[in-house]
Amino acid sequence: MKNTFNSNSVCSITIFTIFASLCCSVAAQTAQFEYDLKITADPSKRAAYLKESGEAPSPYEQVFNLVKGSMQVATVVEKVNISKDRYHINSIGTLGSVLSTVLQDQKLIRDSVGSNGPNGLLTNTYQEKRGNTELLIAKVDAPKSIVNFYKISSQKPPTGTAPYTGRLLDMVTVGYQFIGRDLPAKSIVLPVTDGRSLKNYTLVRGEAWEFPFDGAKVKAIRYYKTTSKDDTATFEVWFSEKEHLPLRSVIGLNAQYGATIQVDLKKIPKL
């Protein structure tokens, strides 16, 4: 299957991209996870691309212009509530003090609700608001096996639809699928919505590595997406071998952005 990972979506969405996880149990559980986000950027590359293409930069792209080299830019906090058959995830990404002042305290707010079953989490409604941009909503119509996309309100006519088969995830739940389940031994394709479209998210199993946490080393397995001539954006995530928590994710945006985003779990929570 052709990899259709969307680099434009990655830029807007994965600036505060978070992969937080929680084990499933009969009784509802609530946990909070905190992440550091670092960006390595070359603003001249993005400026050159915008000039050549005539595109207008999004409000969040201002962060790239303010980063000189590599810089810690944000903290992401996610609250997760998950029970035997349901889940609710609320995610807020907050810029550091200097960037927050310059960009008028813009935040990335995401919210996902849906069902929980033997095969993992299934999205029902995903919402995302990036700073002062319009609210994006993806809402599943399960009987018709389609997902409807809205802006501002789902009470208005949808801006688009997309059919899907099998499972459907979103950009918040995609990192949760291996909690309480085996890590895949081979490549896996996950259908994922970003609130405006539906893409196939392909991960290939890679090597193991050890991450330092609280004076100890935690072994993790790397999963990464393949690239192609039409899709040069890179992505990788490291899942802890024991709990399958995402310890680090790295997004290498293509030449039109000239940036790399790295998200690191600050502390492994008790599940």
Side-chain angles (χ1 to χ4, degrees), residues 57-243:
S58 69
Y60 258 105
E61 288 185 34
Q62 296 175 66
V63 72
F64 291 121
N65 295 326
L66 298 173
V67 174
K68 306 300 180 183
S70 184
M71 181 179 178
Q72 181 77 31
V73 299
T75 298
V76 175
V77 174
E78 183 161 282
K79 295 181 179 179
V80 177
N81 183 280
I82 192 166
S83 65
K84 180 181 179 181
D85 55 6
R86 301 293 296 172
Y87 78 87
H88 179 198
I89 306 166
N90 182 259
S91 169
I92 298 178
T94 304
L95 294 168
S97 58
V98 175
L99 293 178
S100 180
T101 299
V102 175
L103 299 179
Q104 301 177 342
D105 197 31
Q106 294 187 45
K107 291 181 172 64
L108 175 69
I109 302 174
R110 299 184 295 172
D111 195 86
S112 178
V113 295
S115 62
N116 176 36
N119 295 322
L121 308 182
L122 298 176
T123 300
N124 177 269
T125 302
Y126 175 71
Q127 300 184 74
E128 180 175 306
K129 193 172 191 308
R130 312 164 194 168
N132 55 16
T133 60
E134 294 178 316
L135 174 68
L136 301 177
I137 303 170
K139 197 168 185 178
V140 172
D141 185 341
K144 296 181 180 180
S145 295
I146 62 172
V147 55
N148 293 311
F149 304 106
Y150 305 87
K151 286 187 177 181
I152 304 177
S153 171
S154 58
Q155 300 303 311
K156 297 182 177 182
T159 58
T161 63
Y164 71 93
T165 56
R167 308 173 60 215
L168 179 69
L169 312 177
D170 58 61
M171 292 301 293
V172 173
T173 57
V174 66
Y176 291 60
Q177 297 310 299
F178 307 133
I179 304 303
R181 303 169 58 214
D182 292 336
L183 289 173
K186 300 179 180 180
S187 62
I188 182 172
V189 179
L190 302 175
V192 180
T193 179
D194 58 12
R196 65 176 65 188
S197 63
L198 182 63
K199 303 296 179 183
N200 288 321
Y201 198 91
T202 303
L203 295 178
V204 178
R205 183 168 178 139
E207 71 277 17
W209 197 58
E210 291 184 333
F211 285 78
F213 276 96
D214 297 328
K217 291 185 177 181
V218 178
K219 191 174 182 180
I221 309 297
R222 173 178 176 252
Y223 284 80
Y224 64 94
K225 68 173 284 287
T226 57
T227 60
S228 67
K229 181 180 178 181
D230 298 326
D231 179 13
T232 59
T234 62
F235 171 77
E236 61 185 58
V237 57
W238 297 84
F239 290 99
S240 62
E241 189 176 54
K242 184 178 179 181
E243 303 93 347

